[in-house]
Amino acid sequence: MASKYYFINILRFVLLALVQVLLCNKIGFLGFINPMIYILFLYWYPIKQNRAAFIIVSFLLGFIIDIFSDTLGIHAASTVTIAYLRPAIMRFCFGVNYEFQSFKLASVPRIQQITYIALLIIIHHTVFFILEVFSFENFLLILKKILAVSLASLILCILLSSLFSVKKE
Amino acid sequence: MQQIINFIFRNKNLLLYLFLLFISIALTIRSHSYHQSKFFNSANSISGGVYNASNNVTTYFNLEKENQKLVQENMRLRSILFNKEYNQEVQIDSTKFDSTLITYKIIAARIIKNSYSNLDNYITINKGSKDGVIQDMGVITPDGILGIVENTSQNFSQVQSILNRKSNLNAKIKNTDNFGSLVWNTKDYNTVQLIDIPRRIPVKVGDTILTGAASSIFPENIPIGTIKGWNLDVSKSSYSIDIALFNDMSNIKNVYLVHNKDRAEIELLESQKPNGQ
Protein backbone atom coordinates (compact mmCIF):
# COMPACT_ATOMS: atom_id res chain seq x y z
CA MET A 1 0.00 0.00 0.00
CA ALA A 2 2.71 2.43 0.99
CA SER A 3 4.84 1.52 -2.02
CA LYS A 4 1.89 2.26 -4.27
CA TYR A 5 1.73 5.79 -2.84
CA TYR A 6 5.41 6.30 -3.52
CA PHE A 7 5.10 4.95 -7.03
CA ILE A 8 2.15 7.17 -7.95
CA ASN A 9 3.79 10.26 -6.52
CA ILE A 10 7.13 9.64 -8.21
CA LEU A 11 5.33 9.06 -11.50
CA ARG A 12 3.34 12.28 -11.06
CA PHE A 13 6.50 14.18 -10.17
CA VAL A 14 8.35 13.08 -13.29
CA LEU A 15 5.41 13.38 -15.68
CA LEU A 16 4.29 16.80 -14.46
CA ALA A 17 7.87 18.14 -14.60
CA LEU A 18 8.31 16.82 -18.15
CA VAL A 19 4.95 18.13 -19.38
CA GLN A 20 5.71 21.48 -17.79
CA VAL A 21 9.12 21.97 -19.40
CA LEU A 22 8.47 20.30 -22.75
CA LEU A 23 4.92 21.54 -23.45
CA CYS A 24 3.63 24.24 -21.13
CA ASN A 25 6.79 26.37 -21.16
CA LYS A 26 6.51 26.58 -24.95
CA ILE A 27 2.90 27.72 -25.22
CA GLY A 28 3.64 31.47 -25.09
CA PHE A 29 -0.02 32.41 -25.61
CA LEU A 30 -0.27 36.17 -26.36
CA GLY A 31 3.49 36.30 -26.03
CA PHE A 32 3.81 35.73 -22.29
CA ILE A 33 1.22 33.25 -20.96
CA ASN A 34 2.84 29.95 -20.02
CA PRO A 35 0.46 28.07 -17.71
CA MET A 36 2.10 26.21 -14.81
CA ILE A 37 0.49 22.83 -14.38
CA TYR A 38 3.05 21.26 -12.04
CA ILE A 39 1.13 22.82 -9.14
CA LEU A 40 -1.19 19.82 -9.56
CA PHE A 41 1.50 17.76 -7.84
CA LEU A 42 0.95 19.73 -4.66
CA TYR A 43 -2.81 19.61 -5.17
CA TRP A 44 -2.81 15.82 -5.42
CA TYR A 45 -0.13 15.04 -2.82
CA PRO A 46 -1.53 12.88 0.03
CA ILE A 47 -2.66 14.88 3.03
CA LYS A 48 -1.53 12.55 5.82
CA GLN A 49 2.12 12.35 4.78
CA ASN A 50 5.06 13.81 6.66
CA ARG A 51 4.95 17.55 6.25
CA ALA A 52 8.70 18.14 6.20
CA ALA A 53 9.12 15.57 3.43
CA PHE A 54 6.36 17.30 1.47
CA ILE A 55 8.14 20.67 1.73
CA ILE A 56 11.44 19.16 0.61
CA VAL A 57 9.88 17.29 -2.32
CA SER A 58 8.10 20.48 -3.44
CA PHE A 59 11.34 22.41 -3.27
CA LEU A 60 13.01 19.76 -5.43
CA LEU A 61 10.19 19.94 -7.99
CA GLY A 62 10.48 23.71 -8.22
CA PHE A 63 14.26 23.51 -8.40
CA ILE A 64 14.17 21.01 -11.27
CA ILE A 65 11.74 23.21 -13.22
CA ASP A 66 14.08 26.13 -12.50
CA ILE A 67 17.06 24.33 -13.99
CA PHE A 68 15.12 23.48 -17.12
CA SER A 69 13.76 26.98 -17.64
CA ASP A 70 16.91 28.90 -16.57
CA THR A 71 15.06 30.85 -13.88
CA LEU A 72 17.19 29.77 -10.96
CA GLY A 73 15.37 29.93 -7.63
CA ILE A 74 12.07 31.48 -8.70
CA HIS A 75 10.00 28.34 -9.17
CA ALA A 76 11.60 26.79 -6.10
CA ALA A 77 10.74 29.75 -3.86
CA SER A 78 7.12 29.96 -4.97
CA THR A 79 6.55 26.20 -4.82
CA VAL A 80 8.04 25.83 -1.37
CA THR A 81 5.83 28.70 -0.20
CA ILE A 82 2.59 27.02 -1.26
CA ALA A 83 3.85 23.71 0.12
CA TYR A 84 4.29 25.34 3.52
CA LEU A 85 0.97 27.16 3.36
CA ARG A 86 -1.02 24.16 2.10
CA PRO A 87 -2.47 23.07 5.50
CA ALA A 88 -3.72 26.60 6.12
CA ILE A 89 -5.25 26.78 2.65
CA MET A 90 -6.95 23.41 3.15
CA ARG A 91 -8.35 24.49 6.50
CA PHE A 92 -9.72 27.60 4.81
CA CYS A 93 -11.34 25.62 1.97
CA PHE A 94 -12.59 22.48 3.68
CA GLY A 95 -12.95 23.52 7.32
CA VAL A 96 -11.36 21.47 10.11
CA ASN A 97 -12.73 18.14 8.88
CA TYR A 98 -9.92 17.72 6.33
CA GLU A 99 -7.77 16.37 9.16
CA PHE A 100 -10.08 13.39 9.76
CA GLN A 101 -9.05 9.98 8.58
CA SER A 102 -12.07 9.63 6.30
CA PHE A 103 -11.45 12.84 4.37
CA LYS A 104 -11.03 12.38 0.62
CA LEU A 105 -10.34 15.13 -1.87
CA ALA A 106 -12.60 13.50 -4.45
CA SER A 107 -15.59 13.53 -2.12
CA VAL A 108 -15.74 17.25 -1.36
CA PRO A 109 -17.94 19.48 -3.53
CA ARG A 110 -16.48 20.65 -6.83
CA ILE A 111 -16.55 24.31 -5.83
CA GLN A 112 -14.34 23.62 -2.80
CA GLN A 113 -11.82 21.76 -4.94
CA ILE A 114 -11.71 24.69 -7.35
CA THR A 115 -11.24 27.20 -4.52
CA TYR A 116 -8.39 25.06 -3.17
CA ILE A 117 -6.49 24.82 -6.48
CA ALA A 118 -7.22 28.49 -7.28
CA LEU A 119 -5.72 29.62 -3.96
CA LEU A 120 -2.62 27.47 -4.54
CA ILE A 121 -2.19 28.94 -8.02
CA ILE A 122 -2.75 32.57 -7.03
CA ILE A 123 -0.30 32.45 -4.10
CA HIS A 124 2.27 30.61 -6.24
CA HIS A 125 2.00 33.07 -9.13
CA THR A 126 2.11 36.12 -6.85
CA VAL A 127 5.41 35.00 -5.33
CA PHE A 128 6.67 33.87 -8.72
CA PHE A 129 6.10 37.10 -10.64
CA ILE A 130 7.23 39.37 -7.81
CA LEU A 131 10.53 37.50 -7.79
CA GLU A 132 10.74 37.40 -11.59
CA VAL A 133 10.12 41.11 -12.18
CA PHE A 134 12.10 41.95 -9.02
CA SER A 135 11.17 45.61 -8.80
CA PHE A 136 8.01 47.29 -7.63
CA GLU A 137 8.37 49.98 -10.30
CA ASN A 138 6.58 47.66 -12.69
CA PHE A 139 3.69 46.97 -10.38
CA LEU A 140 1.14 46.94 -13.20
CA LEU A 141 3.24 44.45 -15.15
CA ILE A 142 3.33 42.14 -12.12
CA LEU A 143 -0.43 42.46 -11.68
CA LYS A 144 -1.15 41.81 -15.35
CA LYS A 145 1.04 38.74 -15.38
CA ILE A 146 -0.39 37.33 -12.14
CA LEU A 147 -3.99 37.72 -13.37
CA ALA A 148 -3.50 36.43 -16.90
CA VAL A 149 -1.22 33.48 -16.11
CA SER A 150 -3.27 32.48 -13.03
CA LEU A 151 -6.38 32.28 -15.17
CA ALA A 152 -4.62 30.15 -17.79
CA SER A 153 -3.09 27.85 -15.14
CA LEU A 154 -6.41 27.53 -13.35
CA ILE A 155 -8.31 26.51 -16.49
CA LEU A 156 -5.66 23.97 -17.49
CA CYS A 157 -5.33 22.55 -13.96
CA ILE A 158 -9.10 22.12 -13.58
CA LEU A 159 -9.27 20.38 -16.95
CA LEU A 160 -6.37 18.08 -16.10
CA SER A 161 -7.60 17.32 -12.60
CA SER A 162 -11.02 16.28 -13.91
CA LEU A 163 -9.38 14.26 -16.67
CA PHE A 164 -7.25 12.30 -14.19
CA SER A 165 -9.64 12.48 -11.27
CA VAL A 166 -8.47 10.70 -8.13
CA LYS A 167 -11.07 8.14 -7.19
CA LYS A 168 -9.43 5.73 -4.81
CA GLU A 169 -7.19 7.90 -2.68
CA MET B 1 19.30 24.30 26.00
CA GLN B 2 16.23 22.15 26.45
CA GLN B 3 14.08 25.06 25.44
CA ILE B 4 16.04 25.71 22.28
CA ILE B 5 15.73 22.07 21.23
CA ASN B 6 12.02 22.15 22.01
CA PHE B 7 11.64 25.31 20.00
CA ILE B 8 13.41 23.76 17.01
CA PHE B 9 11.24 20.64 17.25
CA ARG B 10 8.04 22.58 17.51
CA ASN B 11 8.83 24.84 14.57
CA LYS B 12 10.81 22.43 12.44
CA ASN B 13 8.51 22.89 9.44
CA LEU B 14 8.66 26.66 9.63
CA LEU B 15 12.44 26.58 9.97
CA LEU B 16 12.74 24.14 7.06
CA TYR B 17 10.50 26.37 4.96
CA LEU B 18 12.46 29.51 5.81
CA PHE B 19 15.74 27.73 5.10
CA LEU B 20 14.62 26.52 1.64
CA LEU B 21 13.05 29.91 0.87
CA PHE B 22 16.29 31.60 1.82
CA ILE B 23 18.27 29.31 -0.51
CA SER B 24 15.99 29.95 -3.46
CA ILE B 25 15.79 33.70 -2.95
CA ALA B 26 19.57 33.86 -2.60
CA LEU B 27 19.87 32.00 -5.91
CA THR B 28 17.36 34.37 -7.51
CA ILE B 29 19.17 37.50 -6.34
CA ARG B 30 22.44 36.05 -7.50
CA SER B 31 21.08 35.29 -10.97
CA HIS B 32 19.59 38.79 -11.21
CA SER B 33 22.87 40.52 -10.49
CA TYR B 34 25.59 38.22 -11.76
CA HIS B 35 25.99 35.64 -14.48
CA GLN B 36 23.86 32.51 -14.44
CA SER B 37 25.05 29.71 -12.26
CA LYS B 38 27.75 27.60 -13.86
CA PHE B 39 26.14 24.24 -13.11
CA PHE B 40 22.44 24.78 -12.47
CA ASN B 41 21.37 25.85 -15.94
CA SER B 42 19.59 24.14 -18.79
CA ALA B 43 22.87 23.34 -20.57
CA ASN B 44 23.83 20.63 -18.08
CA SER B 45 23.90 17.07 -19.31
CA ILE B 46 20.54 15.98 -17.85
CA SER B 47 18.27 18.84 -18.91
CA GLY B 48 20.25 19.29 -22.12
CA GLY B 49 19.78 15.59 -22.84
CA VAL B 50 16.03 15.78 -22.23
CA TYR B 51 15.68 18.83 -24.47
CA ASN B 52 17.83 17.20 -27.12
CA ALA B 53 15.73 14.01 -27.10
CA SER B 54 12.49 15.97 -27.40
CA ASN B 55 14.00 18.16 -30.09
CA ASN B 56 15.10 15.15 -32.11
CA VAL B 57 11.42 14.34 -32.54
CA THR B 58 9.94 17.80 -33.00
CA THR B 59 12.60 18.98 -35.44
CA TYR B 60 11.01 16.92 -38.21
CA PHE B 61 7.75 18.82 -38.03
CA ASN B 62 9.08 21.97 -39.65
CA LEU B 63 11.90 20.53 -41.68
CA GLU B 64 10.49 21.84 -44.94
CA LYS B 65 10.22 25.41 -43.70
CA GLU B 66 13.76 25.28 -42.32
CA ASN B 67 15.05 23.99 -45.66
CA GLN B 68 13.37 26.85 -47.46
CA LYS B 69 14.95 29.34 -45.07
CA LEU B 70 18.39 27.86 -45.66
CA VAL B 71 17.91 27.89 -49.44
CA GLN B 72 16.88 31.54 -49.24
CA GLU B 73 20.01 32.33 -47.29
CA ASN B 74 22.20 30.41 -49.73
CA MET B 75 20.61 32.32 -52.57
CA ARG B 76 21.39 35.64 -50.93
CA LEU B 77 24.97 34.66 -50.16
CA ARG B 78 25.52 33.33 -53.68
CA SER B 79 24.23 36.51 -55.23
CA ILE B 80 26.66 38.51 -53.10
CA LEU B 81 29.49 36.18 -54.06
CA PHE B 82 28.79 36.24 -57.83
CA ASN B 83 28.31 39.98 -57.94
CA LYS B 84 31.54 40.51 -56.09
CA GLU B 85 33.44 38.40 -58.60
CA TYR B 86 31.83 40.25 -61.46
CA ASN B 87 32.44 43.72 -60.08
CA GLN B 88 35.95 43.35 -58.75
CA GLU B 89 37.12 40.76 -61.25
CA VAL B 90 38.77 38.72 -58.56
CA GLN B 91 38.77 35.03 -59.30
CA ILE B 92 37.98 33.06 -56.20
CA ASP B 93 40.50 30.31 -56.92
CA SER B 94 43.30 32.78 -57.53
CA THR B 95 42.72 34.48 -54.22
CA LYS B 96 44.98 33.29 -51.50
CA PHE B 97 42.85 31.62 -48.85
CA ASP B 98 45.06 31.41 -45.82
CA SER B 99 43.28 30.02 -42.79
CA THR B 100 45.46 32.02 -40.39
CA LEU B 101 44.08 35.23 -41.89
CA ILE B 102 40.48 34.40 -41.01
CA THR B 103 39.35 36.51 -38.06
CA TYR B 104 35.93 34.96 -37.55
CA LYS B 105 35.35 31.26 -37.06
CA ILE B 106 31.78 30.00 -37.57
CA ILE B 107 30.13 27.01 -35.86
CA ALA B 108 26.66 25.86 -36.91
CA ALA B 109 24.27 24.78 -34.14
CA ARG B 110 20.62 24.00 -33.54
CA ILE B 111 18.35 25.42 -30.86
CA ILE B 112 16.99 22.73 -28.55
CA LYS B 113 15.23 25.06 -26.14
CA ASN B 114 13.93 28.46 -27.18
CA SER B 115 12.47 30.95 -24.74
CA TYR B 116 10.97 34.36 -25.45
CA SER B 117 8.09 34.88 -23.02
CA ASN B 118 10.01 35.41 -19.78
CA LEU B 119 11.69 38.61 -18.69
CA ASP B 120 15.16 37.05 -18.77
CA ASN B 121 15.31 34.60 -21.63
CA TYR B 122 17.97 31.97 -22.11
CA ILE B 123 18.28 29.67 -25.11
CA THR B 124 19.94 26.25 -25.15
CA ILE B 125 21.80 24.97 -28.22
CA ASN B 126 23.19 21.55 -29.08
CA LYS B 127 26.88 22.43 -29.36
CA GLY B 128 29.20 22.59 -26.37
CA SER B 129 32.81 22.87 -25.34
CA LYS B 130 33.51 19.62 -27.20
CA ASP B 131 32.70 21.40 -30.46
CA GLY B 132 34.84 24.42 -29.61
CA VAL B 133 32.14 26.66 -28.14
CA ILE B 134 33.45 29.04 -25.48
CA GLN B 135 31.92 31.76 -23.36
CA ASP B 136 31.10 35.12 -25.02
CA MET B 137 30.80 33.84 -28.57
CA GLY B 138 28.17 35.73 -30.57
CA VAL B 139 25.13 33.82 -31.81
CA ILE B 140 23.48 34.89 -35.08
CA THR B 141 20.68 33.54 -37.23
CA PRO B 142 20.29 33.79 -41.02
CA ASP B 143 18.22 36.95 -40.47
CA GLY B 144 19.82 38.73 -37.55
CA ILE B 145 21.39 38.38 -34.14
CA LEU B 146 20.24 36.19 -31.28
CA GLY B 147 22.52 36.58 -28.28
CA ILE B 148 25.78 35.69 -26.58
CA VAL B 149 26.99 32.35 -25.19
CA GLU B 150 26.93 32.50 -21.40
CA ASN B 151 27.72 28.96 -20.20
CA THR B 152 28.93 25.81 -21.89
CA SER B 153 28.87 22.18 -20.87
CA GLN B 154 30.47 19.36 -22.78
CA ASN B 155 27.65 18.92 -25.30
CA PHE B 156 25.38 21.93 -24.84
CA SER B 157 25.56 25.69 -24.39
CA GLN B 158 23.34 28.26 -22.77
CA VAL B 159 22.84 31.48 -24.73
CA GLN B 160 21.76 34.78 -23.19
CA SER B 161 19.13 36.00 -25.62
CA ILE B 162 18.86 39.66 -26.68
CA LEU B 163 15.45 39.32 -25.01
CA ASN B 164 17.04 39.54 -21.57
CA ARG B 165 17.21 42.45 -19.15
CA LYS B 166 20.95 41.84 -18.75
CA SER B 167 21.61 41.96 -22.48
CA ASN B 168 23.44 45.07 -23.69
CA LEU B 169 24.93 45.07 -27.19
CA ASN B 170 26.54 47.66 -29.40
CA ALA B 171 24.49 48.67 -32.46
CA LYS B 172 24.35 51.52 -34.95
CA ILE B 173 22.12 53.06 -37.60
CA LYS B 174 23.08 51.99 -41.12
CA ASN B 175 25.34 54.41 -43.05
CA THR B 176 26.10 56.45 -39.93
CA ASP B 177 28.70 55.82 -37.31
CA ASN B 178 26.47 56.73 -34.38
CA PHE B 179 26.18 53.78 -32.13
CA GLY B 180 24.08 53.10 -29.05
CA SER B 181 23.16 50.24 -26.76
CA LEU B 182 20.68 47.59 -27.72
CA VAL B 183 18.46 46.67 -24.76
CA TRP B 184 15.05 45.10 -24.23
CA ASN B 185 12.16 46.65 -22.28
CA THR B 186 10.46 43.22 -21.83
CA LYS B 187 7.21 44.33 -23.51
CA ASP B 188 7.19 42.63 -26.92
CA TYR B 189 9.39 39.75 -28.02
CA ASN B 190 9.83 41.04 -31.57
CA THR B 191 10.79 44.59 -30.56
CA VAL B 192 14.01 45.72 -28.90
CA GLN B 193 15.22 49.22 -28.00
CA LEU B 194 18.27 51.16 -29.11
CA ILE B 195 19.18 53.79 -26.51
CA ASP B 196 21.82 56.51 -26.17
CA ILE B 197 21.56 57.76 -29.77
CA PRO B 198 22.11 61.55 -29.58
CA ARG B 199 19.17 63.78 -30.46
CA ARG B 200 20.91 65.62 -33.31
CA ILE B 201 21.07 62.45 -35.42
CA PRO B 202 18.27 62.32 -38.01
CA VAL B 203 16.21 59.16 -37.42
CA LYS B 204 13.68 57.84 -39.94
CA VAL B 205 11.12 55.06 -39.60
CA GLY B 206 12.29 52.12 -41.68
CA ASP B 207 16.03 52.74 -41.31
CA THR B 208 18.10 49.61 -40.80
CA ILE B 209 19.99 48.91 -37.57
CA LEU B 210 23.27 46.97 -37.73
CA THR B 211 25.72 45.69 -35.15
CA GLY B 212 28.35 48.26 -34.32
CA ALA B 213 32.13 48.16 -34.49
CA ALA B 214 32.73 48.68 -30.79
CA SER B 215 31.87 45.10 -29.91
CA SER B 216 34.52 42.43 -30.20
CA ILE B 217 31.84 39.71 -30.07
CA PHE B 218 29.91 40.29 -33.27
CA PRO B 219 31.37 41.23 -36.66
CA GLU B 220 30.35 44.70 -37.78
CA ASN B 221 27.31 45.26 -40.02
CA ILE B 222 25.16 42.26 -39.17
CA PRO B 223 21.53 43.32 -39.73
CA ILE B 224 19.38 43.48 -36.58
CA GLY B 225 16.10 45.15 -37.55
CA THR B 226 14.38 48.28 -38.76
CA ILE B 227 13.26 51.40 -36.88
CA LYS B 228 9.61 51.21 -35.90
CA GLY B 229 9.28 54.41 -33.90
CA TRP B 230 11.08 56.45 -31.26
CA ASN B 231 10.71 58.78 -28.34
CA LEU B 232 13.10 60.98 -26.41
CA ASP B 233 14.38 59.81 -23.06
CA VAL B 234 13.80 61.62 -19.77
CA SER B 235 16.62 64.10 -20.21
CA LYS B 236 15.40 64.90 -23.79
CA SER B 237 18.94 64.62 -25.07
CA SER B 238 18.93 61.18 -26.64
CA TYR B 239 16.56 58.86 -28.42
CA SER B 240 15.11 55.57 -27.31
CA ILE B 241 14.34 53.88 -30.63
CA ASP B 242 11.99 50.90 -31.03
CA ILE B 243 13.39 48.34 -33.43
CA ALA B 244 11.37 45.64 -35.18
CA LEU B 245 13.66 42.61 -35.35
CA PHE B 246 14.29 40.80 -38.63
CA ASN B 247 14.21 37.53 -36.69
CA ASP B 248 10.96 36.01 -35.61
CA MET B 249 12.24 35.24 -32.10
CA SER B 250 9.53 32.64 -31.51
CA ASN B 251 10.50 30.55 -34.54
CA ILE B 252 14.23 29.92 -34.84
CA LYS B 253 15.94 26.59 -35.38
CA ASN B 254 19.36 26.92 -37.00
CA VAL B 255 21.93 29.37 -35.67
CA TYR B 256 25.59 30.19 -36.21
CA LEU B 257 28.13 30.87 -33.51
CA VAL B 258 30.75 33.47 -34.31
CA HIS B 259 34.13 33.37 -32.68
CA ASN B 260 36.39 36.38 -33.08
CA LYS B 261 39.96 35.09 -32.97
CA ASP B 262 41.25 38.56 -32.11
CA ARG B 263 38.92 38.98 -29.17
CA ALA B 264 41.41 37.84 -26.52
CA GLU B 265 43.98 40.30 -27.85
CA ILE B 266 41.44 43.16 -27.98
CA GLU B 267 40.27 42.42 -24.44
CA LEU B 268 43.83 42.34 -23.15
CA LEU B 269 44.62 45.64 -24.81
CA GLU B 270 41.50 47.31 -23.45
CA SER B 271 42.12 46.06 -19.93
CA GLN B 272 45.54 47.67 -19.95
CA LYS B 273 44.11 51.18 -20.15
CA PRO B 274 44.50 52.79 -16.74
CA ASN B 275 40.92 54.00 -16.29
CA GLY B 276 39.33 50.85 -17.60
CA GLN B 277 37.30 52.46 -20.36
Side-chain angles (χ1 to χ4, degrees), chain B residues 2-18:
Chain B
Q2 179 96 41
Q3 278 185 334
I4 294 173
I5 293 174
N6 275 343
F7 174 80
I8 291 174
F9 264 111
R10 247 184 300 124
N11 295 308
K12 69 175 195 302
N13 286 327
L14 178 66
L15 291 175
L16 179 68
Y17 164 63
L18 290 178

Side-chain angles (χ1 to χ4, degrees), chain B:
Chain B
M1 194 63 202
Q2 179 96 41
Q3 278 185 334
I4 294 173
I5 293 174
N6 275 343
F7 174 80
I8 291 174
F9 264 111
R10 247 184 300 124
N11 295 308
K12 69 175 195 302
N13 286 327
L14 178 66
L15 291 175
L16 179 68
Y17 164 63
L18 290 178
F19 173 66
L20 292 176
L21 190 71
F22 174 77
I23 291 180
S24 34
I25 289 182
L27 287 171
T28 310
I29 293 172
R30 204 176 158 277
S31 76
H32 272 289
S33 37
Y34 303 104
H35 277 248
Q36 280 275 308
S37 159
K38 262 245 159 318
F39 303 103
F40 296 124
N41 62 54
S42 63
N44 69 35
S45 58
I46 298 169
S47 52
V50 170
Y51 278 129
N52 202 24
S54 119
N55 190 64
N56 280 342
V57 178
T58 53
T59 189
Y60 289 103
F61 295 143
N62 42 18
L63 210 52
E64 198 177 319
K65 223 182 259 167
E66 279 307 313
N67 269 336
Q68 263 166 15
K69 264 193 206 166
L70 294 179
V71 168
Q72 291 274 338
E73 193 195 5
N74 274 342
M75 230 158 68
R76 209 181 66 229
L77 295 178
R78 272 186 194 277
S79 78
I80 293 171
L81 192 67
F82 292 151
N83 289 328
K84 205 168 194 170
E85 272 177 44
Y86 180 75
N87 289 337
Q88 300 180 349
E89 297 188 351
V90 176
Q91 292 301 311
I92 194 93
D93 52 4
S94 70
T95 318
K96 217 171 161 191
F97 207 68
D98 187 354
S99 63
T100 56
L101 289 177
I102 299 175
T103 320
Y104 293 103
K105 196 177 84 180
I106 308 283
I107 302 172
R110 207 174 65 202
I111 291 182
I112 59 172
K113 178 215 147 202
N114 194 3
S115 158
Y116 52 87
S117 51
N118 296 337
L119 298 181
D120 295 312
N121 292 293
Y122 292 91
I123 294 164
T124 313
I125 55 174
N126 70 341
K127 290 283 162 70
S129 54
K130 210 176 66 183
D131 309 283
V133 180
I134 51 168
Q135 200 180 36
D136 287 337
M137 279 171 104
V139 184
I140 60 174
T141 69
D143 298 324
I145 64 169
L146 186 68
I148 296 171
V149 173
E150 179 148 328
N151 279 311
T152 59
S153 68
Q154 205 181 2
N155 294 308
F156 306 101
S157 305
Q158 182 197 32
V159 178
Q160 186 190 68
S161 165
I162 47 172
L163 304 182
N164 189 310
R165 284 175 294 182
K166 280 187 269 176
S167 166
N168 188 346
L169 299 170
N170 181 271
K172 64 175 188 185
I173 304 172
K174 192 177 182 178
N175 296 332
T176 70
D177 274 328
N178 294 294
F179 55 81
S181 307
L182 198 70
V183 294
W184 188 47
N185 68 0
T186 72
K187 296 244 161 59
D188 177 7
Y189 63 82
N190 276 330
T191 310
V192 293
Q193 280 69 38
L194 182 65
I195 56 170
D196 299 340
I197 293 278
R199 194 178 174 175
R200 61 189 159 76
I201 311 294
V203 176
K204 266 213 312 269
V205 172
D207 278 359
T208 310
I209 304 292
L210 308 169
T211 52
S215 149
S216 58
I217 295 174
F218 290 102
E220 207 183 343
N221 296 332
I222 296 179
I224 297 173
T226 55
I227 295 179
K228 207 162 92 174
W230 68 81
N231 35 14
L232 290 168
D233 71 353
V234 192
S235 63
K236 302 276 178 208
S237 59
S238 58
Y239 288 116
S240 162
I241 305 173
D242 280 340
I243 300 163
L245 290 172
F246 288 129
N247 283 335
D248 177 3
M249 293 300 284
S250 62
N251 183 18
I252 311 170
K253 232 25 298 175
N254 292 297
V255 296
Y256 306 103
L257 291 111
V258 186
H259 175 48
N260 185 349
K261 283 190 172 167
D262 296 339
R263 181 174 155 78
E265 198 178 327
I266 296 171
E267 293 259 284
L268 185 72
L269 196 64
E270 283 176 350
S271 67
Q272 280 170 352
K273 284 189 182 173
N275 56 3
Q277 195 27 258

Side-chain angles (χ1 to χ4, degrees), chain A residues 24-53:
Chain A
C24 289
N25 276 355
K26 293 183 180 170
I27 290 178
F29 182 61
L30 298 181
F32 68 95
I33 300 181
N34 289 334
M36 299 174 202
I37 56 124
Y38 68 92
I39 296 172
L40 279 173
F41 178 80
L42 287 90
Y43 172 75
W44 277 328
Y45 195 86
I47 300 157
K48 311 287 181 318
Q49 297 295 319
N50 181 354
R51 210 174 144 206

